[in-house]
């Protein structure tokens, strides 16, 4: 098998960082700390590179071609740096205001339909659009879960009596949902762990160390 | 790592075992099948069967568009899905348009196609049977734009060749030239993109591949709006089994089968401890 | 038509919330009494945690999530809520004399808002000299470096109270569990339901989902913010009303899908 | 000065938000154009501010070394800058920049490996938290335990071979009680987000007014 120097070096470097991260499960140590400091530098550089590319492509080049309006966001971006100057720190409020204003507008528009109206519609249709008795029962269970879960988040009444009972039922639904979410993520992370072990065994130990891949 | 205190009963100690034992046990259990695979059986689920059927039922020469948005850090979870699916495409003489929607995905596409799937080994030629389009941050509006005007979003392929000069793309510029949309994503809520931009407006046949944790979000759309889906490496393995293309998923599945046992054992110990403390008195 | 087809229900809902906001915010401004709120135990746990941090001579950690500085996305409200908590915790730490380490999100554009808020907390308590700029930590892009950075900080500087409130993806399971293992007290929550499980399982006290918004208003001690909780309840009643209308219309055979599409 | 410091930013915020809402609720093309312009601006603003993070990181690193000027701390101080420079230089020096094979090598050897390992480590943190909390202590914790364990077993290939009932039960948990509880949670969180949003546009959100 042809040995590629860069592949072998990549396996060594990769294994170095994989093991560095994993050692944090044991306890804090200088090896982990070194890996962590290295990756901070690397990710900031990665982010800076991509963002600079965006600034050049989306602002500087178009500005040089006459799209002068783009000077505004570019200057707003520069204004964030006034945070570093004690007397002019307040200027940084302007870019924040533009970003939050746009963000809130986008949020309100997207949330009303997707997370409220459509959810209400789906709750009704789960019951009435069902074609079998089982689906209808499931639809009713979903509706009960939705309504009781909402009552759990009622804050202006103490959770006693009927509201208390409803909130308690809602909490059971919520717990099942949390358990299922945990399981979905746990099995995914298990796969990731196995993937790293395969890398360490097949690529690093067998390939780079023993040369038997 | 646990705090020290007065002498504890057996029940208490069972509930307070140092987590590092759990970590170590799980690691050992995962390593065994990697060193010595067992080939434990796999049950193929309905969404995987639907997924496979949606592909193999297409007449030869049909065009599949692969909206590819995977991330390097998540390759372990998804590699089996990609490789098995792409092999099936080439085995069944389908034409494929790969378009990248995430920065990492172009790197993954090139690596997996060139080093593992190797379309040329199936007698497929670039530009005639498949094309690779570069990274563009599409999002939902970009998906909508792709469906209506491919050249507006991707004027060239990854090599800088204008689409008009690529034989396969000559007559394809929107959804009308696509027979199946294969949507690949890692952000769970993105499933709605394909429903809203491909299935609802154009009634396009769709399949999806995603992470294991996104399965719950995809399931409600199967089989009415999406013909099948693979969520996580487990379903990737199912496709490997179903299509007869063994790949990285088999070892993953074996290691998963064993790797989870450590956790289950500790859950059992935790509950024995709880019940023991409640009903057993001093252990 | 000046209203886009397909947004009628959205607009109706928005109008209901705007009217309720106008009514209850004015009521709050006039100093009138608002309905009292049920207790949220995790709020009291925050000051308990700061006290414990002082006793054990460990710092308080505050995190908004690796991606918790989103100012122009659909999650902006969660960012603002974490900012409200940042104000509260910085004031509390200044008042009680605890060191506060803030683990900032990767969105650099949110840094001015975060730093100003933390600094003002100390200023309002009359202890601006206690604010330490080097305790505003930044780790670069993504959950990978953030999770490592925060874990390293726990190990190096110790962890008393670890308060995590905001937008969390796959970044909270490591930081919460590591704080727990290193003897810290976890309090926190997120509005992203898919990650709430991590808080429910790893925190000593949790804000379940929407509770972060209600608690954010409570800790602000501002009547205007508190009136928001009552406004939310009006919205919930409206949701129940819509559900009831939907069920009745469906029961009499109307196409509910088409009805709600307006 | 107070107007420039307090009122004007709030007015700008409200104007931006209202323009976005007009683009959503009205069919007029002009508002859609404005929306497109403003949203593309946000990307430029955010991208331009990217060096701010580097400044804060540098200051914190420097102060930590200053407080504890040991040799090991010096190594921790230098390391991020060394790797920052390495990535930056490789990322701009070779043809193709961030798409060059050299940069991709760095990315796959370091960035990809650390990213994948962080996800992997979470398997253990989730496992230890489950050991602590998945008990039969109350109805609620039993619900958590059942939801978690049954759906876990459903996803592990071996278990459905011996217990085929896990498939329908696992999927039922996912598609019925999980959807019910989750939907309630989504609606409530959305409601709260809307109220915060309206208050912000109104200029009454204290976090924005005071900051």
């Amino acid at each position: 098998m042809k040995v590629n120097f860069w592949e072998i070096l990549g396996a060594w470097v990769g294994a170095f960082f994989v093991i560095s991260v994993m050692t944090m499960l044991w306890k804090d140590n200088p090896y982990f700390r070194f890996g962590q400091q290295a990756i901070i530098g690397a990710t900031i550089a990665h982010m800076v590179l991509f963002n600079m590319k965006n600034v050049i492509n989306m602002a500087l080049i178009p500005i040089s071609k006459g799209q002068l309006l783009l000077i505004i966001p570019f200057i707003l971006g520069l204004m964030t740096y006034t945070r570093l100057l004690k007397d002019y720190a307040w200027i940084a409020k302007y870019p924040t205001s533009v970003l939050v204003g746009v963000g809130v507008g986008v949020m309100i528009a997207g949330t009303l339909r997707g997370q409220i109206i459509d959810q209400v519609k789906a709750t009704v249709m789960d019951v009435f659009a069902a074609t079998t008795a089982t689906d209808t029962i499931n639809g009713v269970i979903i509706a009960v879960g939705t309504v009781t879960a909402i009552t759990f988040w009622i804050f202006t009444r103490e959770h006693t009596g009927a509201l208390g009972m409803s909130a308690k039922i809602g909490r059971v639904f919520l717990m099942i949902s949390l358990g299922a979410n945990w399981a979905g993520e746990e099995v995914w992370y298990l796969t990731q762990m196995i993937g790293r072990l395969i890398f360490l065994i097949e690529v690093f130990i067998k390939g780079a160390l023993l040369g038997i891949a | 790592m646990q705090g020290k205190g007065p002498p504890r009963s057996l029940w208490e100690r069972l509930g307070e075992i140092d987590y590092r034992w759990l970590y170590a046990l799980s690691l050992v259990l995962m390593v065994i099948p990697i060193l010595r695979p067992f080939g434990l059986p796999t049950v193929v689920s309905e969404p995987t069967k639907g997924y496979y059927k949606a592909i193999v039922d297409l007449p030869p020469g049909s065009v599949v568009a692969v909206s590819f948005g995977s991330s390097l850090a998540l390759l372990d979870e998804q590699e089996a899905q990609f490789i098995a699916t792409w092999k099936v495409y080439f085995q069944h003489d389908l034409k494929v348009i790969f378009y990248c929607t995430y920065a990492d995905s172009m790197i993954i596409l090139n690596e997996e196609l060139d080093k593992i799937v190797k379309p040329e080994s199936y007698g497929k030629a670039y530009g005639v049977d498949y094309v690779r389009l570069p990274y563009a941050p599409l999002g939902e509006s970009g998906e909508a734009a792709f469906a209506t005007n491919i050249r507006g979003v991707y004027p060239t392929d990854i090599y800088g060749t204008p689409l008009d000069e690529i034989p396969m793309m000559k007559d394809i510029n929107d959804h009308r030239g696509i027979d199946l949309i294969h949507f690949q994503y890692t952000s769970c809520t993105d499933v709605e993109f394909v429903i809203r931009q491909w299935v609802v407006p154009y009634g396009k046949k769709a399949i999806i591949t995603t992470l294991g944790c996104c399965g719950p979000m995809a399931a409600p759309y199967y089989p009415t709006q999406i013909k099948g889906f693979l969520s996580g490496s487990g379903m990737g393995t199912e496709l490997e089994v179903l299509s007869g293309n063994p790949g990285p998923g088999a070892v993953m599945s074996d290691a998963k089968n064993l790797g989870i046992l450590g956790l289950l054992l500790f859950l059992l110990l935790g509950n024995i401890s709880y019940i023991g403390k409640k009903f057993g008195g001093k252990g | 038509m000046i209203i886009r087809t397909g947004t009628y229900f959205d607009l109706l809902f928005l109008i209901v919330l705007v009217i309720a906001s106008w009514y209850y915010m004015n009521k709050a401004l006039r100093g009138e009494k608002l309905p009292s709120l049920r207790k949220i135990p995790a709020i009291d746990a925050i000051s308990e945690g700061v006290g414990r941090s002082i006793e054990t001579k460990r710092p308080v950690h505050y995190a908004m999530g690796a991606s918790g500085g989103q100012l122009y996305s659909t999650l902006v409200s969660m960012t603002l809520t974490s900012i409200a908590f940042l104000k509260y915790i910085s004031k509390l730490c200044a008042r009680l004399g605890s060191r506060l380490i803030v683990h900032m999100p990767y969105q650099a554009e949110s840094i001015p808002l975060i730093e100003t808020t933390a600094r003002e907390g100390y200023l309002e308590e009359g202890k601006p000299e206690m604010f330490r700029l080097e305790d505003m930590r930044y780790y670069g892009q993504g959950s990978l470096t953030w999770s490592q950075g925060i874990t390293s900080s726990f190990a190096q500087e110790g962890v008393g109270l670890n308060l995590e409130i905001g937008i969390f993806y796959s970044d909270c399971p490591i930081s919460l569990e590591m704080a727990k293992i290193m003897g810290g007290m976890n309090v926190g929550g997120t509005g992203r339901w898919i990650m709430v499980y991590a808080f429910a399982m790893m925190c000593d006290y949790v804000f379940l989902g929407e509770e972060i918004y209600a608690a954010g208003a409570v800790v602000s001690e501002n009547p205007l913010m508190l009136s928001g909780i009552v406004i939310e309840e009006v919205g919930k009643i409206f949701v129940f009303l819509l559900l009831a209308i939907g069920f009745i219309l469906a029961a009499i055979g109307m196409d509910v899908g088409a009805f709600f599409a307006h | 000065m107070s107007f420039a410091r307090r009122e004007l930013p709030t007015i700008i915020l409200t104007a931006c938000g209202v323009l976005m809402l007009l683009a959503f609720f009205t069919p007029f093309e002009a508002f859609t154009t404005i929306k497109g312009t403003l949203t593309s601006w946000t990307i430029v603003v955010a991208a331009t501010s990217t060096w701010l993070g580097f400044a804060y990181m540098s200051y914190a690193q420097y102060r930590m070394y200053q407080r504890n000027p040991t040799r090991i701390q010096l190594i921790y101080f230098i390391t991020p800058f060394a790797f920052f420079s390495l990535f930056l230089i490789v990322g701009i020096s070779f043809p193709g920049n961030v798409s060059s094979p050299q940069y991709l090598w760095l990315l796959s050897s370091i960035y990809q490996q650390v990213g994948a390992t962080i996800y992997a480590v979470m398997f253990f943190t989730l496992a230890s938290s489950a050991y602590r909390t998945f008990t039969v202590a109350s109805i609620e914790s039993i619900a958590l335990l059942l939801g978690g364990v049954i759906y876990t077993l459903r996803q592990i290939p071996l278990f459905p071979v011996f217990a085929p009932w896990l498939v329908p039960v696992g999927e039922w948990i996912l598609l019925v009680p999980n959807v019910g509880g989750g939907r309630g949670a989504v609606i409530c969180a959305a409601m709260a987000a809307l109220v915060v949003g309206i208050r912000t546009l109104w200029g009454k959100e204290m976090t924005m007014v005071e900051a």
Side-chain angles (χ1 to χ4, degrees), chain B residues 26-43:
Chain B
S26 301
L27 273 177
V28 170
L29 287 169
M30 279 181 240
V31 167
I32 296 169
I34 296 173
L35 295 173
R36 219 185 149 78
F38 303 133
L40 292 167
T42 297
V43 177

Side-chain angles (χ1 to χ4, degrees), chain D residues 183-207:
Chain D
R183 199 172 273 166
V186 166
I187 291 173
C188 287
M191 196 79 67
L194 284 173
V195 172
V196 173
I198 291 168
R199 193 164 60 218
T200 308
L201 289 190
W202 210 300
K204 303 286 185 195
E205 173 60 34
M206 300 324 287
T207 49

Side-chain angles (χ1 to χ4, degrees), chain B residues 182-245:
Chain B
H182 170 188
F183 192 67
Q184 194 287 319
Y185 63 99
T186 55
S187 176
C188 295
T189 45
D190 287 3
V191 60
E192 290 164 8
F193 293 7
V194 74
I195 305 292
R196 285 197 290 253
Q197 305 308 335
W198 285 93
V199 179
V200 173
Y202 310 120
K204 205 55 68 179
K205 214 169 159 185
I207 53 172
I208 62 175
T209 46
T210 185
L211 304 173
C213 62
C214 300
M217 311 285 250
Y221 300 105
Y222 167 80
T224 48
Q225 286 158 302
I226 47 174
K227 298 299 165 200
F229 68 89
L230 305 181
S231 63
S233 76
M235 291 174 94
T237 315
E238 291 176 18
L239 184 66
E240 287 177 357
V241 172
L242 192 62
S243 66
N245 288 307

Side-chain angles (χ1 to χ4, degrees), chain C residues 168-228:
Chain C
F168 286 88
Y169 294 82
S170 294
D171 41 11
C172 52
I174 289 186
S175 55
L176 289 171
E177 190 65 6
M178 285 298 157
K180 187 91 195 147
I181 287 173
M182 291 179 198
M185 174 180 169
N186 278 331
V187 180
T190 177
R192 289 193 75 244
W193 183 247
I194 194 133
M195 291 316 295
V196 172
Y197 79 88
F199 288 89
M201 292 171 67
M202 296 169 182
C203 283
D204 299 273
Y205 292 91
V206 59
F207 296 106
L208 267 186
E210 194 209 335
E211 280 185 342
I212 63 163
Y213 296 101
V218 172
V219 299
S220 75
E221 293 171 341
N222 182 300
L224 266 182
M225 302 271 279
L226 282 166
S227 70

